Each structure stands twice: as C-alpha cells, then as structure tokens.
Amino acid sequence: MFMVDIAGVRVLYTGDYSREEDRHLRAAELPQFSPDVCIIESTYGVQTHQPRHIREKLFTDVIHSTVSQGGRVLIPAYALGRAQELLLILDEYWSNHPELHNVPIYYASPLAKRCMAVYQTYINSMNDRIRNQFANSNPFDFKHISPLKSIDEFRDVGPAVVMASPGGLQSGLSRQLFDKWCSDKKNACVIPGYVVEGTMAKTIINEPKEVTLASGLTAPLNMQVHYISFSAHADYIQTSTFLKELMPPNIILVHGGSIEMGRLKQKLVSLFADGNTKIITPKNCQSVEMHFNSQKTAKAIGKLAAKPPAAGETVSGLLVKKGFTYQIMAPEDLHVFSQLSTGNVIQRITIPYSGAFAVIKHRLKQIYESVDPTTDEESGVEALRVHERVTVKRESENHVSLHWAVDPISDMVSDSVVALVLNASRDLPKVVVESEETGGEEAAKKGDKIVHALLVSLFGDVKYGGEEGKVVINVDGNVAHLDKRSGEVESENEGLKERVRTAFRRITGAVKPIPLQES
C-alpha cells in the first residue's frame, strides 16, 4: 500500500492487498491515518474466501489422491506471490508424508526461480512463521521440490506434481503440459488463484467436454479441474472491514470486472448509508476529478521556532516552499534547512562634490531622522550612516561615495541621497550676506528647482499644478496638492498628507543658506 500526501490531501492506494496472513507474507496493516481518498481493489467484489485451513486441506487432498492413483497434477500459477506460498505448503506436506517421497515436485518457471533468490535473501521481510523457521534452516531451500527449465528435461514416466507458469494457461510450459495431460482422467489441474476472462484457465473452470489445444486441434477434457483460490486479493469481508475501520470520505473502486465492481459498490453504499461517503467506479482510462479545500499552513523552524510568538505578534522571515509544504525561517538558517543559500550585494557609487561635507550632513538631517556620524574603518575618514542603511563618506576633495547593501528600502534611500548630493554640488550656499532684494527672483527660481528635484526623489510622480506655486504629488493612486508658498497640503489620504507636509518643511529648511564651517 502507498499513502501519498498531496498538499494536505491524503490518498491511499491499496494495490493488490490481503488482510489475511498467509504462509510467508504478513497481512496488510491498517494505516495510521485515515485517508481523504482510498483507491482500493474490487477483484472479488462481494465474494468471500473459504477459511485458509480448509483451502489448504482441500488442496493437499486433491494432490495426494491424484498422485496415489498414478496421475499427474498441473498447478498453473504466476511466478511471484502465490507460487512461493503453494511450494511452502507442498514441501511441508511432503515432509510429513514419507509415502510421497518418491513422487517428484517441480516448479517450471525461470522467473519463479529467480524470484526464489529474492525470498531467500529477504527473510526478515517475511512473517513471524518464516523468520522463526529460518533460525534452523531457510524455509525456501526446499527439500522435495526441484526446478524444471523446460519440458524437454521433464521425464514424464509416472505420477508427478508440476507447478508451471503462466497462471492463465494461455502459453508457455503450463499450456504445453495441459495439452499433454488434459485427455487423461487420472490427471488433475488445480487452479489456485484469480483467472482472467478469455484465458484457457477460465474456460476449463466451467468443465467443457472439449478444449482447443495450442496447435488448433480439439481434445476431450477428461482431467479433473479444481478451483481452490489462494489469491492474494481481498474478499468482501476483508474489504468492507478495512473500509469501515478507515472511514474514508471518498472511495474509488479499481481492478475488477464491471459486474463485480457494481455489486461491491451497491453493498458499500448500503454499508455507508449513514455517512457522506462517495463511492466511484471509473472505467479504464476514465479521469476522476475531486476538489478539496485545504488550509495552507507554514511551519516556523530554526531560530524563529526557538521563541514562540505572542498572540498578534508579526513573524518575519523567509517563506520557503518545497512541493506543497511551506516553512518560515530566518535568512541565516536558509542554508541549514534547505539547499538554498543567501548572498549580499554591496552597492558603491562615487559622486562629484567639492563642497563642505558639513553641508551634506546638514541637508540629510533636514530629511532623515536617523543620520549618525561614524568613521570609515578602512580609511579612517569621517562618514555618515543614513537611516542605518546607507554610508556616505568623503572619498577626496572632489568626491563623496555611497555604500549600501542592496534591498528595496536601501535602494530608495540611496537614490534620495544621490539626488541631494548632486543638487548640493550644483547649488552650494553662498557665504556673502545679501539683502533680500539682491537677486531675489533668481534665488527663488533656483530654490524652487531644488525643492522640486528633492520632492521627485522622494515621491516620484510630482507635477506642477495649474496655479503658480502649486504642485500635484501622486503616490500609488493617492493624490496630494502642495502649495509651496504657504506649505499647506490638501489630500484625502491623511498619511500621504502628513508625509508631504513633513518632507516639504525639511526640504525648505535644507535649501536655505547655511554657514560653511566644519561641525
């Protein structure tokens, strides 16, 4: 069986299963979790198997009786599964009946021989009975059974038991022996498992008077035909009990004839009449669509899981998706819990600037609340740390440089700092004291340009309004109208209104002439 979890939806695929322990294999286990969908075989429909001890006795009695009368027994079986179980039964029975030791048993299947090596190797995968026997000897090392490569090696001179493949008698060694033995009434054919429609094995179960040989000729069917099922497929009792314990909301019946499948569906509909179980019987190659509403959850791991967050607390980290699972982890844990790795890109830009470094410091403080003086570790020159993200330092008498680790916020901060430095470079403040009348009009135009450039660097979409001295600022569909003469701002968005007012106040303070002295 296979239990597959797809995006939180559990699908159980039983395959060929049996809840009954046989001679060498364990019974199918009940899954730990109930599936949302159970795809289950319906081979035997509503049929029920005889108890195992009755089937084993009937099987050995038929064989013993036939060989005692000088007849031959043909057991058509598939190479893997039932063949090994039947060989275990025969070898044990022969060991307990010395009178049969002169009657040979053969298994005529090259594939069965190769499969036997697998069984002999993986004894620990067998049931308790086989493992306990293995303490003394390998139960698959048969004492009374020999392999038969081909019919040419078989000396057909007396009673014998031959297990040959394929199980449907449609070709191969089993069909050759059947054609040779079917006309003798002393012989017997024991069919030990499920047979498919259209095969010779299915035909002779109904005991016709004549059969068509592989050569095309007809021959009388005088040999005895016994159908004793040792099939590994579950019967109705096993299937209904299994589903009743699992209680899956969706059942898909597969691997069965349409008639048997239909009968099983009707029985299961009655069995689950009290619930909302949906039972589907698709045809071959028919698609089945099912819809599930599953809630997606993400597990916090690593450092984030060390301290559980309080109710309402925001958890910040990297969301990693693998298949249909989601995990939240700290960036430094990424290489530990996934095959991904992180890296930092450091951006550096040099800008022409020959003015005093104090001018830049003063203007930055007018715009940013966090402008901290620091010293460059490599050169030891004075530097500024803006918004705890961008470092501005004096490279030479004619240049300043910016350094920052790339991320969306740091990129925006660096863009605004670059705009501020470029404007400061073009419009260095004058030391001379001028009267208000001297160059008033020219100074006003120059100041207006600087204000407008800084507003653009901060808000992006800044356009002049219809009236003189007014500008229109557009941020994500929210509009603000600024009167540069009075500093008044009008906007329906209170947050944008306050941001524009504060920025304009700081910008106008920054562009006023300041003393050119080192601070």
Side-chain angles (χ1 to χ4, degrees):
M1 294 186 185
F2 297 92
M3 178 79 82
V4 182
D5 191 307
I6 305 174
V9 178
R10 294 192 184 99
V11 180
L12 175 67
Y13 181 80
T14 66
D16 297 346
Y17 83 104
S18 175
R19 292 278 287 156
E20 180 182 55
E21 184 172 299
D22 59 24
R23 283 274 175 160
H24 61 305
L25 297 178
R26 306 175 193 174
E29 298 178 354
L30 189 72
Q32 184 178 0
F33 304 103
S34 179
D36 300 291
V37 181
C38 181
I39 305 174
I40 190 169
E41 67 157 315
S42 58
T43 310
Y44 280 97
V46 295
Q47 300 177 47
T48 55
H49 298 321
Q50 287 181 316
R52 174 162 291 275
H53 69 278
I54 295 178
R55 282 178 281 159
E56 288 189 7
K57 186 176 187 309
L58 182 59
F59 177 69
T60 53
D61 285 351
V62 167
I63 294 174
H64 196 152
S65 173
T66 302
V67 297
S68 297
Q69 297 173 16
R72 299 155 177 82
V73 180
L74 173 62
I75 307 173
Y78 295 101
L80 183 63
R82 294 314 94 205
Q84 285 71 34
E85 179 183 11
L86 298 176
L87 291 174
L88 285 168
I89 295 173
L90 288 173
D91 198 58
E92 181 184 290
Y93 189 80
W94 249 241
S95 296
N96 296 330
H97 293 79
E99 69 275 14
L100 297 176
H101 287 183
N102 62 334
V103 179
I105 304 175
Y106 302 100
Y107 66 93
S109 171
L111 179 58
K113 184 178 179 180
R114 292 197 295 271
C115 293
M116 202 66 67
V118 177
Y119 278 85
Q120 291 170 342
T121 303
Y122 294 98
I123 291 293
N124 289 331
S125 299
M126 303 294 110
N127 58 20
D128 293 339
R129 175 177 179 170
I130 293 294
R131 292 203 300 272
N132 292 335
Q133 289 180 3
F134 187 70
N136 300 319
S137 63
N138 192 329
F140 290 103
D141 187 9
F142 301 118
K143 299 176 182 178
H144 305 283
I145 302 171
S146 305
L148 183 64
K149 292 183 178 180
S150 68
I151 197 170
D152 297 330
E153 297 182 4
F154 178 51
R155 295 182 60 199
D156 191 6
V157 293
V161 179
V162 180
M163 179 180 297
S165 62
L169 291 174
Q170 63 268 39
S171 61
L173 286 170
S174 64
R175 181 58 181 268
Q176 289 177 299
L177 291 173
F178 172 79
D179 288 355
K180 191 175 181 179
W181 292 347
C182 67
S183 300
D184 192 339
K185 63 181 180 181
K186 291 190 298 182
N187 300 333
C189 179
V190 179
I191 299 175
Y194 183 79
V195 288
V196 180
E197 290 287 347
T199 61
M200 177 59 75
K202 183 68 173 180
T203 301
I204 65 174
I205 286 178
N206 299 321
E207 298 184 0
K209 293 182 179 181
E210 292 183 342
V211 291
T212 302
L213 305 180
S215 63
L217 302 176
T218 59
L221 180 63
N222 295 327
M223 73 187 315
Q224 303 172 52
V225 179
H226 302 274
Y227 177 59
I228 307 171
S229 177
F230 286 88
S231 174
H233 300 287
D235 63 0
Y236 173 71
I237 295 176
Q238 294 180 41
T239 299
S240 58
T241 304
F242 182 71
L243 292 174
K244 200 66 179 175
E245 291 179 356
L246 281 183
M247 293 299 290
N250 300 282
I251 300 172
I252 301 177
L253 301 180
V254 296
H255 197 277
S258 58
I259 296 176
E260 291 295 340
M261 191 182 292
R263 289 174 179 169
L264 178 59
K265 179 180 179 179
Q266 294 303 318
K267 278 268 193 178
L268 294 178
V269 168
S270 302
L271 183 66
F272 293 98
D274 298 335
N276 296 320
T277 304
K278 186 178 180 180
I279 303 172
I280 304 171
T281 56
K283 297 179 181 179
N284 289 343
C285 301
Q286 178 184 343
S287 299
V288 177
E289 291 189 6
M290 312 183 99
H291 300 276
F292 299 91
N293 294 322
S294 59
Q295 185 177 4
K296 293 181 179 179
T297 58
K299 295 181 179 179
I301 59 175
K303 294 181 179 179
L304 292 182
K307 182 182 178 182
E313 182 181 349
T314 302
V315 177
S316 178
L318 295 177
L319 180 63
V320 179
K321 177 185 177 184
K322 184 178 181 181
F324 293 98
T325 60
Y326 297 86
Q327 295 175 328
I328 300 178
M329 61 189 75
E332 54 269 27
D333 287 338
L334 188 64
H335 71 283
V336 178
F337 297 101
S338 73
Q339 296 180 341
L340 303 174
S341 59
T342 58
N344 292 326
V345 178
I346 305 299
Q347 191 90 317
R348 179 179 183 275
I349 186 172
T350 302
I351 309 169
Y353 180 75
S354 56
F357 196 65
V359 175
I360 296 177
K361 179 180 179 180
H362 179 79
R363 293 195 176 188
L364 287 174
K365 283 188 174 182
Q366 294 296 317
I367 298 177
Y368 291 102
E369 293 182 357
S370 175
V371 179
D372 301 318
T374 183
T375 302
D376 183 61
E377 295 180 357
E378 296 180 0
S379 60
V381 302
E382 181 185 8
L384 299 173
R385 187 72 174 163
V386 182
H387 212 287
E388 298 181 354
R389 293 176 177 271
V390 178
T391 300
V392 184
K393 70 174 183 177
R394 168 75 80 177
E395 285 287 337
S396 65
E397 293 183 359
N398 298 318
H399 294 90
V400 295
S401 65
L402 276 64
H403 304 258
W404 71 96
V406 173
D407 65 61
I409 297 178
S410 298
D411 290 347
M412 288 193 298
V413 174
S414 64
D415 287 345
S416 64
V417 174
V418 168
L420 185 146
V421 173
L422 290 174
N423 281 299
S425 179
R426 287 195 298 264
D427 304 297
L428 290 174
K430 305 296 183 185
V431 194
V432 293
V433 179
E434 297 180 342
S435 64
E436 294 183 1
E437 292 80 13
T438 305
E441 184 177 348
E442 183 178 351
K445 289 182 179 180
K446 188 177 295 185
D448 185 66
K449 288 181 180 180
I450 296 173
V451 170
H452 187 80
L454 291 174
L455 287 174
V456 170
S457 69
L458 289 174
F459 298 104
D461 188 359
V462 180
K463 299 178 181 178
Y464 287 102
E467 300 179 19
E468 184 179 355
K470 291 189 176 182
V471 294
V472 179
I473 300 172
N474 192 326
V475 179
D476 295 333
N478 297 308
V479 180
H481 298 273
L482 169 64
D483 188 337
K484 291 193 289 185
R485 292 173 297 185
S486 63
E488 293 296 322
V489 182
E490 296 179 1
S491 177
E492 295 181 358
N493 189 308
E494 290 297 326
L496 178 61
K497 181 178 179 179
E498 184 60 30
R499 284 175 57 197
V500 173
R501 180 184 291 116
T502 302
F504 182 72
R505 184 177 67 252
R506 292 178 176 177
I507 289 171
T508 53
V511 298
K512 292 180 179 179
I514 59 174
L516 291 179
Q517 61 182 14
E518 297 291 339
S519 58

